[in-house]
Every structure is written in C-alpha cells, then in structure tokens.
Amino acid sequence: MSEAQRDLLDRLFAGAIAAAHPAGRLPQLLPAPPADGHLIMLAAGKAAGAMTEVAERHYLDTLGLAAGRLAGLAVARHGYARPTRVAEMIEAGHPVPDEASLAAAAGALALAQSAGADDLVLVLMSGGASANWIAPAAGLTLAEKQAVTRALLRSGANIGEINSVRKHLSRIKGGRLARAAFPARVVTLAISDVPGDDPDTIGSGPTVPDRSTLADARAIVARYRLDLPAAVHRALADPANETPKPGDPVFAAAAFHLAARPADAFAAAEAIVRGAGYDYVFLGERLEGEAREVAAAHARLARQLQTQGRRAAILSGGELTVTISGSGRGGPNQEYALALAIASGASPAVGLQTAIVAGFLIS
C-alpha cells in the first residue's frame, strides 16, 4: 500500500468519525431545560463520556443553567471515560458486562425513578449501552446474564436477535427506563451503530416501545441452540418479563431523536473519496452476515476492480457476526480484517481501514 493510499484511508477514518462526533451533532438537538424542575442526564455507551461533556458544556456554560438543577450519570466501556463536571462517570464492561455495569444501571434507574412531572430526563445513547447498563430481571444473577451474553456473542445471532433476548431479561432495557421515569418527560438522543437505525435496537431500546416478545426471545434461544442456565429459561417463560409495547402510556411524554447515523459518516467519506479522484463503490450500510464470508466477497470485488484498472474505494457498513467454534478471541472487525488479508493474498495494492460504523477498502 502506498503512502498516498494510507493517507487517504486515515483521512476517510478521521472524516467519518468527525461526521458522527457528539461535538458537531449534539448541541442543536439538546432540548431546553425544564422551566421549574431538574434536568437529569443519563448516558450509556462508548460515546457516553463525550456526549455528557457536550451536554454539560451546553447547559452549564452556553445556557447558564445552575449546577444544582443538573444531575446525571454516564457509563462507558473501560478506557472511554471523559472528565465530566456534574454527572458521575463510570467505566464498565463491554461486550460482557461486569459489576460496574450493575452499579451504573442501578444508579440510572434510581435517578429516573426520582424524576417528577416537572423534570426532564435526557438519555444519551450510543453503541455499547446494552452491556454498560445491566439490571437483571428478578431471579437472575450477574453471572447468568454474563453467560447469556457470551452465548449470544458466540452464536452468530445478529444484533436485533441478541437485543431481543437481552430486553426480556432486564429491568432497564426494552422501554423499562422510560417506565421508571414516568411521568417525567423523557428525551433520548442516540448515535446509531446498528443497521437500519432502529430505535428499539440501539442500546436495546431502554426508552422506546419494544416490538419483540417473550415468544420471540425463546425462539431465538431455540434457533441458535443456546446452552443457558435454567434460571434464564424460567425468566423467558415468565409473563412478568414482557416488555412495554407501543401505545403504553409510559411513552406519552417520551421522544426519540437520532443524533448521528452511519449514513452521516458515509456521506463525509464519499466527499473525501471523490475529492481524491477515486471511484466511490458503496455496498450499503446494512450489511449482515459472517465477517469472514463478507470479507471474502469484498476481496473478490477488490481484485475485480484491480483487474479493470479502476482506482476505487469500497465502502460498507453494518453489523457483522462471528460464530465461534473454538477458543478464539476478538470480534467482527478483527475477523473481517484478517479474513480480508487472507482472501486478498495480502496484496500491497489493497488497503483497509475498519471502524464500528464503516469499512473502507481501497484498491
């Protein structure tokens, strides 16, 4: 790979990240603080620290909101904390939850339940929130929730299926955070990392109605032949663990807005690609499937473009999966990158840059 190609890949990566960064996407969407009540900020996911920083700066500095009217809690994966001013910042496990995930969810639920009708609960969501907020359904332990997560991650199930199971084993996911905050007004601002930007899939939808059911969750467990603790099977058979559905009054004062989408990152990347004189080959933002199989298909396409003498950048996004049969480590991005290198014969004419929301391939 030439230095010019490497530089282009770096610029694509930086441009895509900037296009979805909270600093540029969040301020114009932040709601006005309540006239009389308190503003309670609850943030979860890998961007929780950055989103909380932006929100605190907006309310405390730009609007001059008194710090005493602001409360909050933010949780991000280990190593992703940011220096917040009012909100408590917690680092927790991802993709497998840990004790800090329990503490973060308990704190978020307590703050939500403390909200009154005059208060505003602002929920800031980003990828990773499902693992960062863990509140096991009655009768389940953290160890059992961890076992479920590991089994789902190894199974090859897609993110929608994974979160359908998670939502029915939780006291915070699947609309239950909105239920805890009722009758307060709830506004959710989310950075999407899932194909289709479905609100009830992002972070397992803690503030929106859930369209999946206990029966759906049980069917997913059966489809992938998941070996789960007996307590999990009991929980999935308990009607008390059904999630709140569309039309439930707890969502009457709830609003959901996307702050950033994979499409925003791709639009920025396309401008950079075309500006550099490359053909823009976009394979879509909703790719799913086994990471190694998708990588092999992309390698074939890259070789075809090389054979045709085209200078092209192949871009794609989505939520790939890895079905683990041994004791390997890593996730879909690593699997994709390594499989692509093998399938392309590690050709020096093919460069690769991957991120959570996008893959950039230059030939």
Side-chain angles (χ1 to χ4, degrees):
M1 179 168 58
S2 69
E3 285 301 316
Q5 287 179 315
R6 186 181 299 276
D7 176 69
L8 177 56
L9 285 169
D10 288 341
R11 287 191 289 122
L12 285 173
F13 185 80
I17 294 297
H21 196 280
R25 308 292 303 194
L26 210 56
Q28 60 269 34
L29 295 175
L30 289 167
D36 300 312
H38 289 79
L39 173 60
I40 299 171
M41 293 192 308
L42 305 175
K46 291 185 280 288
M51 295 178 84
T52 301
E53 273 188 305
V54 172
E56 286 185 335
R57 186 164 57 245
H58 175 78
Y59 289 114
L60 297 174
D61 300 338
T62 304
L63 299 186
L65 183 70
R69 293 186 58 204
L70 182 66
L73 187 150
V75 56
R77 69 176 293 174
H78 291 290
Y80 283 59
R82 298 294 300 167
T84 55
R85 295 155 63 180
V86 175
E88 179 185 0
M89 184 80 230
I90 295 175
E91 293 181 89
H94 180 277
V96 178
D98 57 14
E99 292 283 352
S101 307
L102 283 178
L109 285 169
L111 283 170
Q113 289 163 350
S114 75
D118 293 332
D119 299 327
L120 170 64
V121 178
L122 175 62
V123 181
L124 305 172
M125 299 289 298
S126 57
S130 293
N132 292 157
W133 272 343
I134 291 293
L140 294 180
T141 65
L142 172 60
E144 287 162 340
K145 288 296 292 286
Q146 290 172 326
V148 171
T149 299
R150 292 190 180 99
L152 286 166
L153 292 176
R154 293 173 63 93
S155 71
N158 64 41
I159 190 61
E161 293 170 322
I162 289 172
N163 286 354
S164 290
V165 176
R166 284 167 159 169
K167 284 185 282 191
H168 291 90
L169 298 171
S170 174
R171 291 178 291 107
I172 193 169
K173 297 175 173 63
R176 292 185 180 89
L177 181 60
R179 184 159 63 188
F182 185 77
R185 180 181 170 219
V186 177
V187 175
T188 302
L189 302 179
I191 295 177
S192 172
D193 67 333
V194 301
D197 309 320
D198 192 343
D200 70 3
T201 300
I202 301 170
S204 297
T207 60
V208 297
D210 178 34
R211 293 167 299 174
S212 70
T213 65
L214 278 164
D216 294 329
R218 291 192 297 267
I220 292 163
V221 170
R223 182 179 310 134
Y224 292 98
R225 300 179 182 178
L226 301 182
D227 183 13
L228 301 177
V232 173
H233 290 286
R234 287 194 296 271
L236 291 178
D238 186 348
N241 290 325
E242 190 55 273
T243 48
K245 304 303 180 193
D248 193 304
V250 301
F251 302 112
F256 182 96
H257 305 284
L258 284 171
R261 309 161 300 152
D264 301 316
F266 284 118
E270 179 181 3
I272 295 170
V273 166
R274 295 195 186 281
Y278 279 75
D279 291 342
Y280 178 72
V281 180
F282 184 49
L283 305 180
E285 62 188 60
R286 301 188 181 191
L287 270 63
E288 294 183 340
E290 284 286 337
R292 62 184 178 273
E293 295 172 2
V294 173
H298 289 185
R300 287 193 297 272
L301 177 57
R303 288 196 297 269
Q304 291 171 6
L305 293 170
Q306 284 181 291
T307 301
Q308 297 166 7
R310 293 174 60 185
R311 297 174 74 244
I314 304 170
L315 284 83
S316 64
E319 189 86 19
L320 303 183
T321 55
V322 177
T323 303
I324 300 176
S325 57
S327 57
R329 299 179 61 186
N333 265 3
Q334 288 182 337
E335 176 96 353
Y336 174 89
L338 292 171
L340 182 78
I342 294 170
S344 64
S347 169
V350 176
L352 171 68
Q353 181 69 280
T354 67
I356 293 299
V357 298
F360 310 131
L361 177 60
I362 291 178
S363 63

